[in-house]
Each structure stands twice: as C-alpha cells, then as structure tokens.
Amino acid sequence: MRILFLSRWFPHPPSNGSKLRIYNLIKGLSKNHEVTLLSFTESIVDTAEMKKFCPEVKVVPWTDFDPTRWKARLGIFRLEPRSIVDTFSSEMAEAITETLRADKYDLVIASQLQMAAYGPRFRHIPSIFEEFEIGLFHDRAFSSDGTKLRLRYALTWFKLRLYLSRILNTFRACTVASKREAELLQANFPAYRKPISVIPNGVDLDEYRNFAPPKKDNTLVFTGSFRYRANYEAMLWFVEKVFPLILQHLPDTRLFITGDHQNLPLPSQKNITLTGHVDNLKTLVASANVSIAPLLSGGGTRLKILEAMALGTPVVATSKGAEGLEVIAGEHLLLADTPADFAECVIRLLADGQSNRGLAKNAFQLVQEKYNWDTMILDYLRLIEIVAR
C-alpha cells in the first residue's frame, strides 16, 4: 500500500512527544508499506534518517501562530479557530495537491488538528485523522479561572466544535491516544459514526535497553517544551508550590527541565537547570532519581512518563498527568494532586532506594506489556487495511 503521511512536526530527531509518536508510527508502517512523508519543519533539517523509512520526504516551512498577525486578527470573524486560520499554509496545500497529482496513493494519514485542516485536498482518497485530541481545549473552556479567560476559551471551544463538525466526515477513521479522548469525540460529535481507534502513545523498547548511567543523588527531571502550554503551567505550579517543600527536607535537590522554554519566567531559579534541547535526553532521564509529571491540564497520554518508565526512572505524577495510562498508583508510579502530597512522594523516592527500584521494575514491565510500539503497530496496520479497503 502507498501511504501519504502528513505531519505538523518533522519527526527526527524525536525531541518531543508528538515527534516521537510520529517517528515510531512511520517506522512501523514502513515495514509493510511504502510511506511518503510531507511535513512542516521549523528549521533546516537533515532528512537522511527519515529517508531510511520513506523513499520520498518533502518539507514545508512552518510559521507559528501569532495573534497579532492580520490573518489572526481577521480570524475573529471566521467560524474556524484563529490558530487554524493563521497557520494554514497555501504552500503546504499546494504541496499536497502536487504530490497527489504526481503519484497514486491508497491512503492519507493526517497527523493532528493542523494537518486535518487540509482534508479538502485529499477528500477523494481514504484517510485517517491521526491523533485527534481536544482534551486541552475542553478543559480550558470549562475550568479556566477568570471570566475574561473563560469566555475566550469558550469561544475557541465553540469554533473548534463547529470546525471539526465540518471536516470530520472527510476521514474514514480517527485515532486517539486515550480512552478519554475517544469519549470526548463521541460525546461532542455524535454524528461521526466511523471507526475510532485508541492507539496509545508508546516507546520502542529496543532504543531504551542500553541506558544505565549512574544515578545522580537527589535529582529530578521534567521533560517537556514550554511551547505546549500545559507543560509551562505544570512547572509554574511545581516550582512555586511543590519544590520549596522538597528543598526544606533535601536542600541539595536539583531539578532539570528540558526542551524549549520560550524565555517564559518561573517563580524561582533556585536549584533549577533549564537545559534547553538535550542531545542525550535518554541519559539525562536515566540518571535522574525521579521523573515528575505534575500536569494540571491537557489530553492524550504522557510520553514523558512512558520514556522514564522505559529508562528505569520512577515517576511521580498528578492524576491529570497520568491520565490515559493504565497504571496502578503505588505499583507503577506515585500519584499526588496537592503540593504537600506531591512533595512527600518525591521525598519518599529520593530517600528510599528500595521503593525507588520496586516502582521502576514494575513500570518497565508495564511498558513492555502494554506500551511497546512493536505490539501497538499491529493494531494500526489492521486499521489502515480496513480504511483503505
């Protein structure tokens, strides 16, 4: 089968959760099918790695949403969310049209909301909306503090539902990363009667087996770019309300925060290292004593948790942070939703090596059984056969 894969993120290097999912998907699909990758890119990239899996790789420059741009301002009067209006690329639309005109494809996979926007360009070809996700928009619309902020998010939610109602039927199937996202899709778009497949995020365990650096005493790690607002909100909460409680008991504890920080401020810089992009991220996570996921909003499933589990680093998360994962608190990770409880869980793992090792062992087994791409890609292969047929 010939597949055209449309991606908002250029998947290599797989430096965030979205890129990692896309990279593993393409890698798995390419074992049985011929995949062409057409991707946005935010900088000059080396396509050599992706050409190992895709005979043809094409890239188009991505421009971030800017609410001050004229397209975004005029988007106030459109029924689509302003971010969709502002980031829609005529160059990408033309590239899709030219690619489909030049060759025959059996299936189009459009990854995430930004690529689903080009649905009219491939309406005549069987297609999948890959990783449909609206949990973050839903949570903001119904739980934001402040009347002005709530009204703004409510308007975005209203426009998003209208927009998705129009484009969903372009697709013969949707994939979601968690059962909650599937429930939100069914509840908000009951007219969509086509297959909805839960394909969780996962890891390729073969790429994680040989990372066993020495643990650095009293080190915490958070992996996640602040470009994803939920990550920044998580760190604001943790640094302001949780980390000071940890430092009271263990003053030499250090926190490493990876990814693009967008020059966004934190309440304190004490014992905190903002690493930016890290080439050896697996080594950093594997050498930490505890990986934290104190998320308060968002959807999908947390690859940062699965990666830490695959690398033998125990995890402390909020209930929202672990949402979508089939985990048991106290067996696979520790869960806490208040600053005091979160700090207590971190301190316990830093002080108790036996608990630390026990959680890490159980977590690795969970990833091996339920979140290994070698297993999950089989479900995806069955889905694309159904859709293309």
Side-chain angles (χ1 to χ4, degrees), residues 3-8 36-40 56-60 62 87-105 107-128 163 170-171:
I3 300 171
L4 175 60
F5 197 105
L6 307 176
S7 179
R8 151 67 182 92
T36 294
L37 173 62
L38 179 49
S39 175
F40 279 115
E56 191 171 7
V57 177
K58 302 177 182 179
V59 296
V60 172
W62 168 260
T87 59
F88 187 88
S89 164
S90 57
E91 186 177 351
M92 173 59 77
E94 186 60 28
I96 293 170
T97 299
E98 287 298 319
T99 301
L100 294 175
R101 184 181 295 141
D103 291 294
K104 176 178 171 56
Y105 288 88
L107 177 72
V108 176
I109 299 177
S111 176
Q112 302 184 339
L113 179 63
Q114 292 90 345
M115 304 316 294
Y118 300 91
R121 297 280 169 155
F122 48 83
R123 185 182 296 275
H124 57 292
I125 300 175
S127 59
I128 296 174
Y163 175 66
T170 301
F171 300 92

Short mmCIF file of all heavy atoms in Angstrom, two decimals, residues 3-8 36-40 56-60 62 87-105 107-128 163 170-171:
data_model
loop_
_atom_site.label_atom_id
_atom_site.label_comp_id
_atom_site.label_asym_id
_atom_site.label_seq_id
_atom_site.Cartn_x
_atom_site.Cartn_y
_atom_site.Cartn_z
N ILE A 3 1.21 5.07 1.10
CA ILE A 3 0.63 5.94 2.12
C ILE A 3 1.30 7.31 2.06
O ILE A 3 2.53 7.42 2.01
CB ILE A 3 0.83 5.34 3.53
CG1 ILE A 3 0.16 3.96 3.63
CG2 ILE A 3 0.29 6.29 4.59
CD1 ILE A 3 0.50 3.22 4.92
N LEU A 4 0.48 8.36 2.07
CA LEU A 4 0.99 9.72 2.22
C LEU A 4 0.75 10.14 3.66
O LEU A 4 -0.39 10.21 4.13
CB LEU A 4 0.27 10.68 1.27
CG LEU A 4 0.64 12.17 1.42
CD1 LEU A 4 2.13 12.41 1.19
CD2 LEU A 4 -0.20 13.03 0.47
N PHE A 5 1.85 10.41 4.39
CA PHE A 5 1.77 10.79 5.80
C PHE A 5 2.02 12.29 5.91
O PHE A 5 3.09 12.78 5.53
CB PHE A 5 2.80 10.03 6.62
CG PHE A 5 2.54 10.05 8.11
CD1 PHE A 5 2.04 8.93 8.75
CD2 PHE A 5 2.78 11.19 8.86
CE1 PHE A 5 1.79 8.94 10.12
CE2 PHE A 5 2.52 11.22 10.22
CZ PHE A 5 2.03 10.09 10.86
N LEU A 6 1.03 13.02 6.42
CA LEU A 6 1.11 14.47 6.58
C LEU A 6 1.38 14.80 8.04
O LEU A 6 0.62 14.39 8.93
CB LEU A 6 -0.20 15.13 6.14
CG LEU A 6 -0.70 14.78 4.73
CD1 LEU A 6 -2.05 15.44 4.46
CD2 LEU A 6 0.32 15.20 3.68
N SER A 7 2.46 15.54 8.31
CA SER A 7 2.87 15.77 9.68
C SER A 7 3.10 17.24 9.98
O SER A 7 3.77 17.94 9.23
CB SER A 7 4.17 14.99 9.97
OG SER A 7 4.60 15.22 11.29
N ARG A 8 2.55 17.69 11.10
CA ARG A 8 2.83 19.04 11.59
C ARG A 8 4.29 19.15 12.06
O ARG A 8 4.92 20.19 11.97
CB ARG A 8 1.86 19.36 12.74
CG ARG A 8 2.33 20.33 13.82
CD ARG A 8 2.50 21.74 13.31
NE ARG A 8 3.00 22.60 14.38
CZ ARG A 8 4.28 22.86 14.61
NH1 ARG A 8 5.22 22.34 13.86
NH2 ARG A 8 4.64 23.67 15.60
N THR A 36 5.27 7.98 2.01
CA THR A 36 5.82 9.29 1.63
C THR A 36 5.53 10.25 2.77
O THR A 36 4.40 10.33 3.25
CB THR A 36 5.18 9.81 0.34
OG1 THR A 36 5.55 8.96 -0.75
CG2 THR A 36 5.62 11.23 0.03
N LEU A 37 6.54 10.98 3.21
CA LEU A 37 6.37 11.95 4.30
C LEU A 37 6.35 13.36 3.74
O LEU A 37 7.28 13.78 3.05
CB LEU A 37 7.52 11.82 5.32
CG LEU A 37 7.56 12.89 6.42
CD1 LEU A 37 6.31 12.84 7.29
CD2 LEU A 37 8.82 12.72 7.27
N LEU A 38 5.28 14.08 4.05
CA LEU A 38 5.18 15.51 3.73
C LEU A 38 4.97 16.23 5.06
O LEU A 38 3.94 16.06 5.71
CB LEU A 38 4.01 15.75 2.78
CG LEU A 38 3.72 17.19 2.35
CD1 LEU A 38 4.98 17.90 1.88
CD2 LEU A 38 2.66 17.22 1.26
N SER A 39 5.96 17.00 5.46
CA SER A 39 5.98 17.54 6.82
C SER A 39 6.30 19.01 6.86
O SER A 39 7.08 19.52 6.05
CB SER A 39 7.03 16.77 7.65
OG SER A 39 7.16 17.31 8.94
N PHE A 40 5.71 19.69 7.82
CA PHE A 40 6.19 21.02 8.18
C PHE A 40 7.53 20.88 8.90
O PHE A 40 7.84 19.84 9.51
CB PHE A 40 5.21 21.72 9.13
CG PHE A 40 4.03 22.35 8.44
CD1 PHE A 40 2.74 21.88 8.67
CD2 PHE A 40 4.19 23.43 7.59
CE1 PHE A 40 1.64 22.46 8.05
CE2 PHE A 40 3.11 24.03 6.96
CZ PHE A 40 1.83 23.54 7.20
N GLU A 56 10.44 9.01 -0.20
CA GLU A 56 10.31 10.42 -0.55
C GLU A 56 9.95 11.22 0.69
O GLU A 56 9.02 10.88 1.42
CB GLU A 56 9.24 10.61 -1.63
CG GLU A 56 9.23 11.99 -2.23
CD GLU A 56 8.31 12.09 -3.44
OE1 GLU A 56 7.58 11.11 -3.72
OE2 GLU A 56 8.32 13.14 -4.10
N VAL A 57 10.71 12.28 0.94
CA VAL A 57 10.47 13.18 2.08
C VAL A 57 10.43 14.61 1.56
O VAL A 57 11.38 15.06 0.90
CB VAL A 57 11.58 13.04 3.15
CG1 VAL A 57 11.35 14.04 4.28
CG2 VAL A 57 11.63 11.62 3.70
N LYS A 58 9.34 15.31 1.83
CA LYS A 58 9.21 16.71 1.42
C LYS A 58 8.91 17.55 2.66
O LYS A 58 8.19 17.10 3.56
CB LYS A 58 8.06 16.87 0.42
CG LYS A 58 8.20 16.02 -0.84
CD LYS A 58 6.98 16.20 -1.74
CE LYS A 58 7.06 15.33 -2.98
NZ LYS A 58 5.86 15.49 -3.84
N VAL A 59 9.46 18.77 2.69
CA VAL A 59 9.24 19.64 3.84
C VAL A 59 8.76 21.01 3.38
O VAL A 59 9.10 21.47 2.29
CB VAL A 59 10.50 19.79 4.71
CG1 VAL A 59 10.89 18.45 5.32
CG2 VAL A 59 11.66 20.36 3.91
N VAL A 60 7.96 21.64 4.25
CA VAL A 60 7.43 22.98 4.03
C VAL A 60 7.67 23.78 5.31
O VAL A 60 7.45 23.26 6.42
CB VAL A 60 5.92 22.92 3.72
CG1 VAL A 60 5.31 24.32 3.69
CG2 VAL A 60 5.67 22.20 2.40
N TRP A 62 7.22 25.90 8.56
CA TRP A 62 6.10 26.14 9.48
C TRP A 62 6.23 27.53 10.08
O TRP A 62 7.31 27.97 10.45
CB TRP A 62 6.10 25.10 10.60
CG TRP A 62 5.18 25.44 11.75
CD1 TRP A 62 5.52 26.00 12.95
CD2 TRP A 62 3.76 25.26 11.80
NE1 TRP A 62 4.42 26.17 13.74
CE2 TRP A 62 3.31 25.72 13.07
CE3 TRP A 62 2.83 24.75 10.90
CZ2 TRP A 62 1.97 25.69 13.45
CZ3 TRP A 62 1.49 24.71 11.28
CH2 TRP A 62 1.07 25.17 12.54
N THR A 87 -2.36 29.76 10.78
CA THR A 87 -1.26 28.85 10.43
C THR A 87 -1.53 28.05 9.16
O THR A 87 -0.65 27.28 8.74
CB THR A 87 -0.97 27.87 11.59
OG1 THR A 87 -2.16 27.10 11.88
CG2 THR A 87 -0.54 28.62 12.84
N PHE A 88 -2.71 28.19 8.57
CA PHE A 88 -2.97 27.47 7.32
C PHE A 88 -1.99 27.95 6.25
O PHE A 88 -1.81 29.14 6.02
CB PHE A 88 -4.40 27.71 6.85
CG PHE A 88 -4.79 26.85 5.67
CD1 PHE A 88 -5.32 25.59 5.85
CD2 PHE A 88 -4.59 27.31 4.37
CE1 PHE A 88 -5.67 24.79 4.77
CE2 PHE A 88 -4.93 26.52 3.28
CZ PHE A 88 -5.47 25.26 3.48
N SER A 89 -1.33 26.99 5.61
CA SER A 89 -0.26 27.30 4.66
C SER A 89 -0.69 26.97 3.24
O SER A 89 -0.95 25.81 2.92
CB SER A 89 0.99 26.50 5.03
OG SER A 89 1.92 26.48 3.98
N SER A 90 -0.72 27.98 2.39
CA SER A 90 -1.03 27.74 0.98
C SER A 90 0.07 26.91 0.33
O SER A 90 -0.18 26.12 -0.59
CB SER A 90 -1.21 29.07 0.23
OG SER A 90 -0.05 29.87 0.36
N GLU A 91 1.32 27.05 0.82
CA GLU A 91 2.42 26.26 0.29
C GLU A 91 2.22 24.78 0.61
O GLU A 91 2.47 23.90 -0.24
CB GLU A 91 3.75 26.74 0.87
CG GLU A 91 4.96 26.05 0.25
CD GLU A 91 6.28 26.60 0.78
OE1 GLU A 91 6.27 27.62 1.50
OE2 GLU A 91 7.33 25.99 0.48
N MET A 92 1.78 24.47 1.83
CA MET A 92 1.51 23.08 2.18
C MET A 92 0.33 22.54 1.37
O MET A 92 0.36 21.40 0.87
CB MET A 92 1.22 22.95 3.68
CG MET A 92 0.78 21.56 4.12
SD MET A 92 1.96 20.22 3.76
CE MET A 92 3.18 20.48 5.04
N ALA A 93 -0.72 23.34 1.23
CA ALA A 93 -1.89 22.91 0.46
C ALA A 93 -1.49 22.56 -0.97
O ALA A 93 -1.92 21.54 -1.54
CB ALA A 93 -2.96 23.99 0.48
N GLU A 94 -0.65 23.40 -1.56
CA GLU A 94 -0.20 23.16 -2.93
C GLU A 94 0.71 21.93 -3.00
O GLU A 94 0.63 21.15 -3.97
CB GLU A 94 0.52 24.39 -3.47
CG GLU A 94 0.91 24.30 -4.93
CD GLU A 94 -0.29 24.11 -5.86
OE1 GLU A 94 -1.41 24.55 -5.51
OE2 GLU A 94 -0.11 23.50 -6.93
N ALA A 95 1.56 21.75 -1.99
CA ALA A 95 2.44 20.58 -1.97
C ALA A 95 1.64 19.29 -1.90
O ALA A 95 1.99 18.29 -2.55
CB ALA A 95 3.40 20.68 -0.79
N ILE A 96 0.56 19.28 -1.11
CA ILE A 96 -0.30 18.10 -1.03
C ILE A 96 -0.94 17.83 -2.38
O ILE A 96 -0.94 16.69 -2.88
CB ILE A 96 -1.38 18.30 0.06
CG1 ILE A 96 -0.74 18.36 1.45
CG2 ILE A 96 -2.43 17.18 -0.01
CD1 ILE A 96 -1.69 18.78 2.55
N THR A 97 -1.47 18.88 -3.01
CA THR A 97 -2.12 18.72 -4.31
C THR A 97 -1.15 18.19 -5.35
O THR A 97 -1.47 17.26 -6.12
CB THR A 97 -2.70 20.08 -4.77
OG1 THR A 97 -3.67 20.52 -3.82
CG2 THR A 97 -3.35 19.96 -6.14
N GLU A 98 0.06 18.75 -5.39
CA GLU A 98 1.06 18.32 -6.37
C GLU A 98 1.50 16.87 -6.12
O GLU A 98 1.70 16.09 -7.06
CB GLU A 98 2.27 19.25 -6.32
CG GLU A 98 2.02 20.62 -6.92
CD GLU A 98 1.65 20.54 -8.40
OE1 GLU A 98 2.28 19.74 -9.13
OE2 GLU A 98 0.73 21.25 -8.82
N THR A 99 1.67 16.51 -4.86
CA THR A 99 2.08 15.14 -4.52
C THR A 99 1.03 14.14 -4.96
O THR A 99 1.36 13.08 -5.54
CB THR A 99 2.34 15.02 -3.01
OG1 THR A 99 3.36 15.95 -2.62
CG2 THR A 99 2.78 13.61 -2.64
N LEU A 100 -0.22 14.45 -4.71
CA LEU A 100 -1.30 13.53 -5.09
C LEU A 100 -1.50 13.51 -6.60
O LEU A 100 -1.94 12.49 -7.15
CB LEU A 100 -2.60 13.93 -4.39
CG LEU A 100 -2.58 13.79 -2.86
CD1 LEU A 100 -3.88 14.32 -2.26
CD2 LEU A 100 -2.38 12.33 -2.45
N ARG A 101 -1.18 14.61 -7.26
CA ARG A 101 -1.31 14.65 -8.72
C ARG A 101 -0.20 13.83 -9.39
O ARG A 101 -0.42 13.18 -10.42
CB ARG A 101 -1.25 16.10 -9.19
CG ARG A 101 -1.47 16.27 -10.71
CD ARG A 101 -1.36 17.74 -11.09
NE ARG A 101 -2.43 18.51 -10.48
CZ ARG A 101 -2.28 19.73 -9.97
NH1 ARG A 101 -1.09 20.31 -9.98
NH2 ARG A 101 -3.30 20.37 -9.45
N ALA A 102 0.98 13.81 -8.76
CA ALA A 102 2.13 13.14 -9.38
C ALA A 102 2.09 11.63 -9.22
O ALA A 102 2.59 10.90 -10.07
CB ALA A 102 3.42 13.69 -8.77
N ASP A 103 1.50 11.15 -8.11
CA ASP A 103 1.50 9.70 -7.84
C ASP A 103 0.15 9.27 -7.27
O ASP A 103 -0.60 10.08 -6.72
CB ASP A 103 2.60 9.35 -6.83
CG ASP A 103 4.00 9.52 -7.40
OD1 ASP A 103 4.34 8.78 -8.32
OD2 ASP A 103 4.71 10.42 -6.91
N LYS A 104 -0.10 7.99 -7.38
CA LYS A 104 -1.34 7.41 -6.84
C LYS A 104 -1.08 6.90 -5.43
O LYS A 104 -0.11 6.17 -5.19
CB LYS A 104 -1.83 6.27 -7.73
CG LYS A 104 -3.06 5.55 -7.19
CD LYS A 104 -3.53 4.46 -8.13
CE LYS A 104 -4.62 3.60 -7.50
NZ LYS A 104 -5.77 4.38 -7.03
N TYR A 105 -1.94 7.28 -4.49
CA TYR A 105 -1.83 6.83 -3.11
C TYR A 105 -3.10 6.09 -2.70
O TYR A 105 -4.21 6.46 -3.12
CB TYR A 105 -1.57 8.01 -2.17
CG TYR A 105 -0.18 8.57 -2.31
CD1 TYR A 105 0.09 9.57 -3.25
CD2 TYR A 105 0.87 8.09 -1.53
CE1 TYR A 105 1.38 10.07 -3.40
CE2 TYR A 105 2.15 8.59 -1.68
CZ TYR A 105 2.40 9.57 -2.62
OH TYR A 105 3.67 10.05 -2.77
N LEU A 107 -3.85 5.67 0.63
CA LEU A 107 -4.28 6.15 1.94
C LEU A 107 -3.53 7.42 2.30
O LEU A 107 -2.34 7.55 1.99
CB LEU A 107 -4.01 5.08 3.01
CG LEU A 107 -4.33 5.43 4.46
CD1 LEU A 107 -5.84 5.47 4.67
CD2 LEU A 107 -3.71 4.41 5.41
N VAL A 108 -4.23 8.35 2.96
CA VAL A 108 -3.61 9.55 3.53
C VAL A 108 -3.79 9.50 5.04
O VAL A 108 -4.89 9.24 5.53
CB VAL A 108 -4.21 10.84 2.97
CG1 VAL A 108 -3.60 12.07 3.66
CG2 VAL A 108 -4.02 10.94 1.47
N ILE A 109 -2.72 9.73 5.78
CA ILE A 109 -2.78 9.85 7.23
C ILE A 109 -2.43 11.29 7.58
O ILE A 109 -1.32 11.75 7.29
CB ILE A 109 -1.82 8.88 7.94
CG1 ILE A 109 -2.19 7.43 7.60
CG2 ILE A 109 -1.86 9.10 9.45
CD1 ILE A 109 -1.24 6.40 8.21
N ALA A 110 -3.38 12.02 8.16
CA ALA A 110 -3.17 13.42 8.54
C ALA A 110 -3.00 13.49 10.05
O ALA A 110 -3.94 13.22 10.80
CB ALA A 110 -4.36 14.28 8.10
N SER A 111 -1.80 13.84 10.49
CA SER A 111 -1.46 13.79 11.91
C SER A 111 -1.81 15.10 12.61
O SER A 111 -1.27 16.16 12.27
CB SER A 111 0.02 13.49 12.08
OG SER A 111 0.40 13.52 13.43
N GLN A 112 -2.73 15.01 13.57
CA GLN A 112 -3.13 16.10 14.44
C GLN A 112 -3.98 17.15 13.70
O GLN A 112 -4.13 17.13 12.49
CB GLN A 112 -1.91 16.74 15.11
CG GLN A 112 -1.11 15.74 15.94
CD GLN A 112 0.04 16.36 16.69
OE1 GLN A 112 0.53 17.44 16.36
NE2 GLN A 112 0.51 15.68 17.72
N LEU A 113 -4.52 18.05 14.50
CA LEU A 113 -5.51 19.02 14.02
C LEU A 113 -4.97 19.88 12.88
O LEU A 113 -5.69 20.17 11.91
CB LEU A 113 -5.94 19.91 15.19
CG LEU A 113 -6.96 21.00 14.90
CD1 LEU A 113 -8.28 20.40 14.44
CD2 LEU A 113 -7.18 21.85 16.16
N GLN A 114 -3.71 20.29 12.96
CA GLN A 114 -3.16 21.19 11.95
C GLN A 114 -3.16 20.57 10.56
O GLN A 114 -3.34 21.27 9.56
CB GLN A 114 -1.75 21.64 12.33
CG GLN A 114 -1.68 22.54 13.55
CD GLN A 114 -1.52 21.75 14.84
OE1 GLN A 114 -1.73 20.54 14.86
NE2 GLN A 114 -1.15 22.43 15.92
N MET A 115 -2.93 19.26 10.47
CA MET A 115 -2.89 18.62 9.16
C MET A 115 -4.27 18.18 8.70
O MET A 115 -4.53 18.08 7.49
CB MET A 115 -1.93 17.42 9.19
CG MET A 115 -0.52 17.76 9.64
SD MET A 115 0.16 19.28 8.91
CE MET A 115 0.28 18.83 7.19
N ALA A 116 -5.17 17.92 9.64
CA ALA A 116 -6.54 17.60 9.26
C ALA A 116 -7.20 18.77 8.53
O ALA A 116 -8.14 18.58 7.75
CB ALA A 116 -7.35 17.24 10.51
N ALA A 117 -6.69 19.98 8.76
CA ALA A 117 -7.23 21.17 8.11
C ALA A 117 -7.14 21.10 6.59
O ALA A 117 -7.86 21.81 5.88
CB ALA A 117 -6.50 22.41 8.61
N TYR A 118 -6.25 20.24 6.06
CA TYR A 118 -6.07 20.13 4.61
C TYR A 118 -6.94 19.02 4.02
O TYR A 118 -6.75 18.64 2.85
CB TYR A 118 -4.59 19.90 4.28
CG TYR A 118 -3.72 21.04 4.78
CD1 TYR A 118 -3.14 21.00 6.05
CD2 TYR A 118 -3.52 22.18 4.01
CE1 TYR A 118 -2.37 22.05 6.53
CE2 TYR A 118 -2.76 23.23 4.47
CZ TYR A 118 -2.18 23.17 5.74
OH TYR A 118 -1.44 24.23 6.21
N GLY A 119 -7.89 18.52 4.81
CA GLY A 119 -8.76 17.45 4.36
C GLY A 119 -9.39 17.63 2.99
O GLY A 119 -9.44 16.68 2.19
N PRO A 120 -9.89 18.82 2.66
CA PRO A 120 -10.49 19.00 1.33
C PRO A 120 -9.54 18.69 0.17
O PRO A 120 -9.99 18.37 -0.93
CB PRO A 120 -10.89 20.49 1.33
CG PRO A 120 -11.13 20.80 2.78
CD PRO A 120 -10.10 19.99 3.52
N ARG A 121 -8.22 18.75 0.42
CA ARG A 121 -7.25 18.48 -0.63
C ARG A 121 -7.13 16.98 -0.96
O ARG A 121 -6.61 16.63 -2.00
CB ARG A 121 -5.86 19.01 -0.22
CG ARG A 121 -5.84 20.51 -0.03
CD ARG A 121 -5.74 21.22 -1.36
NE ARG A 121 -5.97 22.65 -1.23
CZ ARG A 121 -5.51 23.56 -2.07
NH1 ARG A 121 -4.78 23.18 -3.10
NH2 ARG A 121 -5.77 24.83 -1.90
N PHE A 122 -7.59 16.12 -0.04
CA PHE A 122 -7.50 14.68 -0.30
C PHE A 122 -8.83 13.98 -0.01
O PHE A 122 -8.87 12.81 0.34
CB PHE A 122 -6.36 14.04 0.51
CG PHE A 122 -6.32 14.42 1.98
CD1 PHE A 122 -7.11 13.77 2.91
CD2 PHE A 122 -5.48 15.42 2.42
CE1 PHE A 122 -7.07 14.10 4.25
CE2 PHE A 122 -5.43 15.78 3.76
CZ PHE A 122 -6.22 15.12 4.68
N ARG A 123 -9.91 14.72 -0.22
CA ARG A 123 -11.24 14.20 0.07
C ARG A 123 -11.55 12.93 -0.73
O ARG A 123 -12.32 12.07 -0.28
CB ARG A 123 -12.28 15.28 -0.23
CG ARG A 123 -13.71 14.92 0.13
CD ARG A 123 -14.66 16.04 -0.25
NE ARG A 123 -14.38 17.26 0.51
CZ ARG A 123 -14.88 17.49 1.73
NH1 ARG A 123 -15.64 16.59 2.31
NH2 ARG A 123 -14.60 18.61 2.35
N HIS A 124 -10.96 12.79 -1.90
CA HIS A 124 -11.27 11.66 -2.78
C HIS A 124 -10.46 10.40 -2.45
O HIS A 124 -10.62 9.38 -3.13
CB HIS A 124 -11.00 12.05 -4.24
CG HIS A 124 -9.59 12.50 -4.48
ND1 HIS A 124 -9.09 13.68 -3.96
CD2 HIS A 124 -8.57 11.93 -5.17
CE1 HIS A 124 -7.83 13.82 -4.33
NE2 HIS A 124 -7.48 12.77 -5.06
N ILE A 125 -9.59 10.46 -1.42
CA ILE A 125 -8.73 9.33 -1.07
C ILE A 125 -9.08 8.89 0.35
O ILE A 125 -9.29 9.73 1.23
CB ILE A 125 -7.25 9.73 -1.15
CG1 ILE A 125 -6.90 10.17 -2.57
CG2 ILE A 125 -6.34 8.57 -0.73
CD1 ILE A 125 -5.49 10.70 -2.69
N PRO A 126 -9.12 7.57 0.63
CA PRO A 126 -9.34 7.11 2.01
C PRO A 126 -8.31 7.75 2.94
O PRO A 126 -7.13 7.84 2.61
CB PRO A 126 -9.13 5.60 1.91
CG PRO A 126 -9.44 5.26 0.50
CD PRO A 126 -8.99 6.44 -0.32
N SER A 127 -8.78 8.21 4.11
CA SER A 127 -7.88 8.94 5.01
C SER A 127 -8.20 8.68 6.47
O SER A 127 -9.32 8.31 6.82
CB SER A 127 -7.94 10.44 4.72
OG SER A 127 -9.25 10.93 4.91
N ILE A 128 -7.18 8.89 7.30
CA ILE A 128 -7.28 8.74 8.75
C ILE A 128 -6.87 10.05 9.42
O ILE A 128 -5.85 10.65 9.06
CB ILE A 128 -6.37 7.60 9.26
CG1 ILE A 128 -6.82 6.25 8.71
CG2 ILE A 128 -6.35 7.56 10.79
CD1 ILE A 128 -5.87 5.11 9.05
N TYR A 163 -15.97 23.74 13.58
CA TYR A 163 -14.98 23.42 12.55
C TYR A 163 -14.83 21.91 12.38
O TYR A 163 -14.87 21.39 11.26
CB TYR A 163 -13.65 24.07 12.95
CG TYR A 163 -12.51 23.73 12.05
CD1 TYR A 163 -12.48 24.16 10.73
CD2 TYR A 163 -11.43 22.99 12.53
CE1 TYR A 163 -11.42 23.85 9.89
CE2 TYR A 163 -10.36 22.68 11.70
CZ TYR A 163 -10.36 23.12 10.40
OH TYR A 163 -9.31 22.80 9.58
N THR A 170 -14.65 14.00 6.45
CA THR A 170 -13.64 13.80 5.41
C THR A 170 -12.90 12.48 5.65
O THR A 170 -12.41 11.86 4.71
CB THR A 170 -12.63 14.96 5.42
OG1 THR A 170 -13.33 16.18 5.21
CG2 THR A 170 -11.57 14.80 4.35
N PHE A 171 -12.82 12.07 6.92
CA PHE A 171 -11.97 10.95 7.32
C PHE A 171 -12.78 9.68 7.56
O PHE A 171 -13.85 9.73 8.17
CB PHE A 171 -11.20 11.33 8.59
CG PHE A 171 -10.32 12.53 8.40
CD1 PHE A 171 -10.78 13.81 8.69
CD2 PHE A 171 -9.04 12.39 7.89
CE1 PHE A 171 -9.98 14.92 8.50
CE2 PHE A 171 -8.23 13.50 7.69
CZ PHE A 171 -8.69 14.77 7.99
#
